[in-house]
């Protein structure tokens, strides 16, 4: 069912539609052969929620703007829809695998895709995304960038892709959250197989992180990192404990 209201992207009063925050295609990996995907919620009192097609919001986008963002969604799924393989491994001087090579022929488009998910997560009222609070300046900057197809500038936003190679739950989608690395503010945003750090701070990534930034080059890197002892592993452990206590 559609409702007439102001579209948050074009700012025009139009019928609004059920728009996905994370593209529907990414939930295929979450569901597998099941009819429903299980969402890991940010609220310990209700860690999980079943969904057939993902999280939608009928108060944010008109059909035309949703289709426009869908072009970015399709490209994002093309690049990040499947896990990287061993053939893409990048090794250090000691022959230790440290990253994956990601072939991306339009890095600006991939960056706009990541920003579009972060922006949709910010403007939705769904509690899964309640920790995404960009503020008026970033919300408007990203809106204009998505509306007009502008360039993403490195001084404004940086992106790092991470693959937890030993994550037993790597098809899951966790709630996004904001952290510091070490003094740079960045959002953690998840799709199956990947975690993205999206910097919204004025300070830029330094040291090891700076070498893995998803910048304007064809052969981009995705960091290869262990899952154990990460905040993600601790969160999944809390979810598992909550589920066991229900039974």
């Amino acid at each position: 069912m559609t409702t007439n209201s102001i579209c948050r992207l074009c700012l025009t009063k139009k019928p609004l539609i059920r728009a996905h925050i994370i593209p529907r295609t990414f939930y295929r990996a979450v569901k597998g052969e099941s009819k429903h995907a299980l969402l890991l919620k940010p609220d310990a009192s209700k860690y999980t929620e079943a969904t057939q097609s993902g999280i939608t919001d009928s108060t944010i986008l008109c059909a035309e703007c949703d289709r426009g963002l869908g072009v970015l969604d399709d490209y994002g799924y093309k690049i990040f829809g499947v896990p990287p393989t061993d053939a893409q491994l990048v090794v250090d001087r000691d022959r230790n695998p440290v990253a994956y090579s990601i072939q991306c022929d339009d890095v600006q488009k991939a960056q706009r895709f990541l920003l579009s998910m972060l922006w949709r997560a910010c403007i939705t009222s769904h509690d899964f995304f309640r920790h995404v609070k960009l503020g008026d300046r970033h919300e408007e900057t990203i809106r204009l960038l998505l509306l007009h197809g502008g360039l993403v500038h490195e001084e404004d936003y940086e992106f790092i892709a991470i693959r937890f190679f030993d994550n037993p739950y790597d098809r899951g989608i966790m709630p996004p959250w904001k952290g510091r690395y070490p003094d740079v503010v960045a959002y953690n945003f998840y799709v199956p197989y990947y975690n993205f750090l999206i910097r919204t701070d004025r300070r830029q990534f330094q040291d090891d992180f700076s070498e893995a930034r998803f910048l304007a080059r064809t052969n981009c890197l995705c960091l290869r990192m262990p899952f154990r002892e990460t905040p993600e592993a601790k969160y999944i452990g809390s979810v598992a404990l909550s589920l066991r206590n229900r039974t």
Side-chain angles (χ1 to χ4, degrees):
M1 183 177 70
T2 60
T3 58
N4 281 323
S5 192
I6 301 296
C7 172
R8 297 291 295 273
L9 184 56
C10 65
L11 302 184
T12 303
K13 188 171 184 178
K14 292 181 179 180
L16 304 185
I17 52 92
R18 289 180 57 197
H20 280 82
I21 312 303
I22 297 173
R24 182 174 184 171
T25 48
F26 283 96
Y27 289 93
R28 294 173 185 168
V30 180
K31 289 169 58 177
E33 299 299 322
S34 302
K35 292 183 179 180
H36 295 85
L38 197 64
L39 301 178
L40 305 182
K41 305 292 289 298
D43 184 355
S45 66
K46 187 183 179 185
Y47 264 124
T48 59
E49 176 182 312
T51 176
Q52 284 188 311
S53 60
I55 299 173
T56 61
D57 190 325
S58 59
T59 68
I60 59 174
L61 292 174
C62 67
E64 182 179 358
C65 288
D66 187 63
R67 283 194 298 270
L69 294 184
V71 175
L72 298 178
D73 293 345
D74 290 344
Y75 188 76
Y77 188 75
K78 173 186 172 184
I79 304 301
F80 303 114
V82 296
T85 67
D86 288 348
Q88 297 168 258
L89 281 173
V90 177
V91 298
D92 62 14
R93 294 177 180 178
D94 298 320
R95 308 302 296 172
N96 297 312
V98 294
Y100 297 94
S101 174
I102 304 294
Q103 293 299 315
C104 179
D105 58 2
D106 193 337
V107 172
Q108 279 284 324
K109 197 170 186 179
Q111 292 178 344
R112 288 197 300 272
F113 159 68
L114 295 175
L115 285 178
S116 77
M117 288 198 298
L118 187 67
W119 180 78
R120 283 175 278 187
C122 174
I123 65 172
T124 183
S125 60
H126 197 288
D127 67 343
F128 186 83
F129 302 102
R130 70 184 188 189
H131 295 305
V132 180
K133 302 180 187 301
L134 293 175
D136 293 342
R137 182 177 70 86
H138 283 300
E139 186 179 320
E140 179 64 5
T141 297
I142 297 173
R143 184 188 74 84
L144 292 173
L145 189 151
L146 297 175
L147 184 64
H148 301 299
L151 292 176
V152 181
H153 296 290
E154 183 180 342
E155 58 267 25
D156 295 324
Y157 305 104
E158 290 179 305
F159 310 83
I160 293 176
I162 298 172
R163 162 75 169 159
F164 295 120
F165 64 88
D166 57 349
N167 180 4
Y169 311 102
D170 68 349
R171 293 192 307 169
I173 297 178
M174 290 176 49
W177 56 282
K178 185 165 65 173
R180 291 183 176 274
Y181 303 90
D183 296 319
V184 176
V185 174
Y187 280 95
N188 288 263
F189 207 102
Y190 304 88
V191 299
Y193 314 120
Y194 293 93
N195 171 27
F196 300 103
L197 296 185
I198 304 175
R199 177 187 64 78
T200 56
D201 201 336
R202 292 186 181 276
R203 291 165 292 188
Q204 295 182 308
F205 287 122
Q206 303 294 326
D207 303 325
D208 294 340
F209 276 117
S210 66
E211 296 301 317
R213 290 173 297 171
F214 209 83
L215 300 178
R217 52 179 179 242
T218 301
N219 189 13
C220 298
L221 294 179
C222 168
L223 289 179
R224 182 181 187 270
M225 296 180 62
F227 181 67
R228 185 178 298 180
E229 302 301 327
T230 63
E232 290 80 4
K234 295 176 182 177
Y235 178 80
I236 292 292
S238 299
V239 173
L241 179 61
S242 175
L243 293 175
R244 285 197 298 271
N245 289 339
R246 289 185 193 178
T247 59

